[in-house]
Amino acid sequence: MYFNSFPTINYDLFGDGNKILFTDITRKVALDKLIKKDIVSFDFYDIQDGETPEVIAHLYYGDVLLHWVVLLTNNITNVYEQWPKSTVSLEEYVRNKYEDVDGTHHYEIPYSSGDTNKIIVLNSNENYPNATRITNFAHELSENNKKIRIRLIKPFYISQFVSEFTRLVSN
């Protein structure tokens, strides 16, 4: 459905005069910054363990083929890096990335003044013996959890969004 909206072009891939019909994937349509800030048109959604863009599109829009809307509205261009990993995938990823999953990744201390919700990341606790030790697994889990909350265009606006996208990408 996503690439069906794109125009096609004839391209001489091999420089031999024989043109081949390709989908012009060089077209790019980005969400307008004002639309991105429009909280009325969006809902927040917390991705559950193992859910994919296809699953969410089916649950939220009733159409698995609208998975591209889920990705586009969240600026996700690489699901392997930008989409949260399932528990099983995260555990495997951490085991493959680190020799010691329980090894120290870094230390943290809270800000002592101002915004105390923020933390200071330290490479060692030499000067701060009370700093909290963060393991490699805890670090990767924290990074993964940052990806869980996404925005979804409300179902009421989805047909209008798809029509507008199709119009913009085909021009």
Side-chain angles (χ1 to χ4, degrees):
M1 179 175 198
Y2 176 73
F3 288 111
N4 292 342
S5 302
F6 287 76
T8 56
I9 57 171
N10 283 310
Y11 187 75
D12 184 358
L13 184 63
F14 302 105
D16 60 2
N18 293 319
K19 294 187 176 186
I20 302 171
L21 189 64
F22 284 98
T23 300
D24 184 4
I25 62 170
T26 62
R27 299 288 178 106
K28 184 168 181 172
V29 175
L31 291 178
D32 186 284
K33 289 178 184 178
L34 293 175
I35 293 173
K36 282 185 179 181
K37 292 179 183 178
D38 180 11
I39 60 172
V40 174
S41 302
F42 290 92
D43 283 329
F44 286 102
Y45 182 84
D46 291 337
I47 300 167
Q48 301 303 303
D49 189 37
E51 284 185 330
T52 63
E54 293 81 4
V55 168
I56 293 171
H58 174 71
L59 292 172
Y60 199 70
Y61 301 120
D63 186 349
V64 69
L65 296 177
L66 291 175
H67 66 281
W68 63 272
V69 175
V70 174
L71 298 172
L72 185 67
T73 56
N74 289 283
N75 294 321
I76 295 173
T77 56
N78 182 340
V79 291
Y80 301 107
E81 296 294 325
Q82 297 173 290
W83 192 261
K85 293 173 178 36
S86 69
T87 301
V88 172
S89 295
L90 180 64
E91 289 171 353
E92 181 180 350
Y93 172 78
V94 174
R95 278 194 308 274
N96 290 333
K97 184 173 180 179
Y98 299 99
E99 202 169 292
D100 181 6
V101 297
D102 294 319
T104 302
H105 188 274
H106 65 272
Y107 294 87
E108 296 177 352
I109 58 172
Y111 273 88
S112 56
S113 64
D115 186 354
T116 56
N117 292 326
K118 293 186 179 183
I119 58 162
I120 299 171
V121 176
L122 306 167
N123 291 328
S124 81
N125 67 340
E126 186 177 324
N127 296 326
Y128 300 93
N130 293 330
T132 303
R133 178 180 167 268
I134 306 299
T135 65
N136 291 322
F137 184 79
H139 168 72
E140 294 297 339
L141 179 61
S142 175
E143 291 300 305
N144 198 56
N145 286 342
K146 291 176 185 175
K147 302 171 189 173
I148 288 175
R149 177 151 284 197
I150 59 172
R151 291 172 15 137
L152 297 172
I153 294 174
K154 290 182 178 179
F156 179 80
Y157 299 107
I158 195 66
S159 61
Q160 178 184 353
F161 177 83
V162 171
S163 295
E164 184 67 8
F165 175 84
T166 302
R167 185 185 68 74
L168 290 170
V169 81
S170 63
N171 287 335

